[in-house]
Structure formats: structure tokens, C-alpha cells
Amino acid sequence: MLLTKVNVKWREEAVSHFMTELIDYAGLFPPAALPLSEAISNFHAYIHDSDSWMLGPFVIPASRLSELKPYKALFNDKYPLRLSVIFTKFEEIETEMEAIRHFLETYKTAGTIQAIEFPLPTQVNYSFLENLEKQTGSYPIYCEMKGTNDQFLNTLDTIHSINQKSLKRIGIKMRMGGITTNLFPTVNQAAFVIHECQKRELPLKFTAGLHHPIRQYRTEVKTRMHGFVNVFTASIMAYSRSVNTATIQAILHDEDPTNFSFTTDSLSWRDLTVSSAEIIKARSFFAASYGSCSFNEPREELGELTIFHGEAVR
């Protein structure tokens, strides 16, 4: 059960639209780095938990899909094993797509693929991305990018042009932290990515470093960790209100939880407010989800915050 001080039912609040399938479970990855048996056992428990509606897919490398066979009995068509599959490199796409097909043949209606995550090389061109789009079938794909801002913008422009001709949309995956300080992007870097993706209508998902709801200094990584409430509030405001980079930066920087508030049908940051309907639209088309090696920590810490109000905040 969620450890929460919220005196209302989550499912009826704007916060439910904010949190629906927000957390992709990445228990295989650091810092948890659990054995597959334990991570799968956790995911099985979570999908039967009263907070299962907050849970996204299980994140797994394509190279480990064959290891899932012994766990098939844990899942069924009502409670399937939903996966977001991480590919390695372009040369392996055919092999990794075959691994997906084999998983689906094994699991049948007890397993689904919700997305593919792909690490792009530093330099890519139109034909590379077009082939990537074609070879990954109908699955949504999120590309993790490297390189300078100019390279980044060129790739975003190319993805945007491909998306305009495609039935599916290529999105962007942004790393928000890790186990060492250097893996955490600055507020300015994160705001830049959010703003540029919003301008091009590119779906955006995040991974790593978002265990805590509000931005805060953490001794275990000796730096400030981004908060998932900050990141998704900034993304939702960018999508719904087309706020500028400076405002996105201000939301990401904010370490005062009282500047964020949920009412029955709205989310506010200071004097900016979005409705439940706008949250749903932004989450559906832009701010997809984030990968976390913990499902418990984010929801428990969010529940401890006093940012939930039954009526509109004045």
C-alpha cells in the first residue's frame, strides 16, 4: 500500500493523470542492479499492487530476452509482462528484433512490447534514422543521444522530418543521472532538451537519477539530483503552455515543494496552472515516462509531500 499522507483517493485526482504509468521499472540497472529473478519477482508483485496504475513496462536489454522464458507462468493476458526493450547498436537490430519475436512467440498474450530504446551514435544522418524507423516495425522507439548541441539539434530536425512521414513517432530518451556525479545533466542541459523536443513535437522519456520527487542535494552522489515532479511539471508546462527555456529552468531548479501543488483537477507551479485534461494530453503525446530501478521510493516520497489540496490553491 502506498505510504501517503494524501487524504483523497489518488485515482480521482489530477495527480493520478500525472502518475499514470509514469515509472518504468528498471530494477536490472544500477544502483539496484538486481538479479533478473528478483527484478521479475518485484515486477510481478507491483502489477498486483493497488498502485499498479503508476507502473510502466519492465526495462530489459534485448540480449536478455531469452532469460525470461522460465518466468512465463507468472504472467497472463490480464496481467502481462510489458516490456521496454533496450537495443545495443544498429548492426544488431536484426538479431534483437528476432529476440523480440521469439519472446512474443513464447509468451503469446502474456507478454507485450511497449517500446524500444536505442542508443544513437554521435553522428547520424537521415538514411540511418529512416532505416532505424523501418527496421523496428510498429514499435515506438526512443533514441538516447550524445554529441554537441549542434549535432543534437541536427538529429532532432532529422527525426522531426521522418516523423512527419511515418505512422509512428521516434522519440528522445534523456539520461537524468546515474551512480556518479558526472552523469547528471545540468538544469540548463535538461531544459534545452525539453524545450527543443517540445518545439519539434518529439515524445520524450527520461531515465536514471529520478528517484526523488523534488530536486535536492544527495550525499550518495555528491550532487543535486533532479526531481521527477520538477522534470514532468516542466515538460507538461512546456507542452501545454509553450513556456520558454528560462521558465523550464526555473521549474527544474526549484527545491521548494510548496511551489508545486495538485488540486482535484489541476497542477500548479507558482502562478502557472494546467488542468487534468492538459496533463493527460501532455503525458500521452510528449512527457512519456521515466525509468527507475525503484518503484517504491518515488511513490512513497511523493506521498509524504504536503502538496495535495482538495480545492483550488489561491
Side-chain angles (χ1 to χ4, degrees):
M1 205 48 198
L2 179 71
L3 301 176
T4 178
K5 293 179 180 175
V6 183
N7 295 319
V8 292
K9 292 181 180 178
W10 286 81
R11 301 301 291 268
E12 297 174 1
E13 298 291 299
V15 68
S16 75
H17 306 306
F18 187 93
M19 290 297 296
T20 295
E21 295 188 14
L22 186 74
I23 305 170
D24 299 346
Y25 181 56
L28 294 176
F29 298 87
L34 300 176
L36 180 61
S37 58
E38 189 174 343
I40 281 288
S41 177
N42 286 347
F43 189 76
H44 176 258
Y46 299 150
I47 63 176
H48 293 277
D49 188 280
S50 59
D51 293 330
S52 61
W53 55 276
M54 302 182 194
L55 183 66
F58 184 88
V59 185
I60 187 168
S63 61
R64 301 193 66 182
L65 286 172
S66 62
E67 298 175 44
L68 293 171
K69 190 174 182 179
Y71 307 102
K72 181 186 175 185
L74 293 174
F75 303 95
N76 53 53
D77 55 355
K78 187 178 179 183
Y79 296 99
L81 176 54
R82 298 176 293 136
L83 299 180
S84 188
V85 182
I86 299 178
F87 281 20
T88 49
K89 52 190 176 183
F90 192 77
E91 296 76 19
E92 299 293 330
I93 286 180
E94 195 173 320
T95 301
E96 292 172 329
M97 287 296 291
E98 183 58 36
I100 283 179
R101 283 189 286 272
H102 185 69
F103 164 77
L104 292 173
E105 285 169 7
T106 302
Y107 268 68
K108 297 185 170 58
T109 57
T112 64
I113 307 296
Q114 294 203 318
I116 290 170
E117 304 177 21
F118 186 84
L120 288 181
T122 304
Q123 300 212 4
V124 294
N125 56 27
Y126 188 94
S127 62
F128 179 97
L129 289 163
E130 190 177 43
N131 283 332
L132 177 65
E133 187 267 342
K134 287 176 179 173
Q135 291 195 47
T136 49
S138 61
Y139 300 117
I141 184 164
Y142 291 88
C143 294
E144 185 171 352
M145 300 169 61
K146 300 173 185 173
T148 64
N149 280 359
D150 286 343
Q151 289 169 323
F152 182 81
L153 291 178
N154 285 337
T155 302
L156 291 190
D157 286 338
T158 305
I159 290 173
H160 176 61
S161 67
I162 290 171
N163 284 354
Q164 289 182 310
K165 302 173 185 176
S166 173
L167 293 175
K168 73 174 183 183
R169 293 186 303 163
I170 299 175
I172 303 302
K173 173 184 171 184
M174 183 178 188
R175 191 163 295 277
M176 298 300 291
I179 55 176
T180 55
T181 305
N182 63 302
L183 294 174
F184 288 81
T186 66
V187 160
N188 288 3
Q189 288 169 328
F192 173 79
V193 172
I194 291 170
H195 188 243
E196 295 299 333
C197 286
Q198 180 273 327
K199 286 199 297 186
R200 293 165 179 82
E201 300 179 320
L202 303 183
L204 185 57
K205 75 183 298 185
F206 304 89
T207 191
L210 294 177
H211 286 209
H212 310 290
I214 304 296
R215 179 177 169 84
Q216 56 187 267
Y217 183 85
R218 301 292 299 189
T219 54
E220 66 267 30
V221 287
K222 299 181 175 59
T223 192
R224 281 178 165 76
M225 294 181 74
H226 297 282
F228 69 83
V229 169
N230 301 71
V231 169
F232 281 86
T233 299
S235 300
I236 290 166
M237 294 296 178
Y239 183 85
S240 303
R241 295 285 174 267
S242 298
V243 295
N244 60 24
T245 307
T247 303
I248 297 171
Q249 289 173 357
I251 298 171
L252 294 175
H253 259 300
D254 201 339
E255 298 183 29
D256 183 356
T258 63
N259 286 327
F260 300 85
S261 61
F262 286 98
T263 67
T264 304
D265 56 5
S266 68
L267 161 65
S268 298
W269 176 77
R270 297 186 180 174
D271 58 352
L272 284 171
T273 299
V274 287
S275 67
S276 282
E278 289 171 319
I279 294 170
I280 294 169
K281 190 175 179 183
R283 287 287 325 283
S284 299
F285 295 104
F286 181 56
S289 62
Y290 76 94
S292 172
C293 70
S294 173
F295 181 57
N296 291 331
E297 196 173 19
R299 57 186 175 140
E300 289 175 2
E301 288 194 23
L302 179 63
E304 291 295 311
L305 295 178
T306 54
I307 62 173
F308 306 95
H309 308 274
E311 302 299 329
V313 177
R314 300 287 180 235

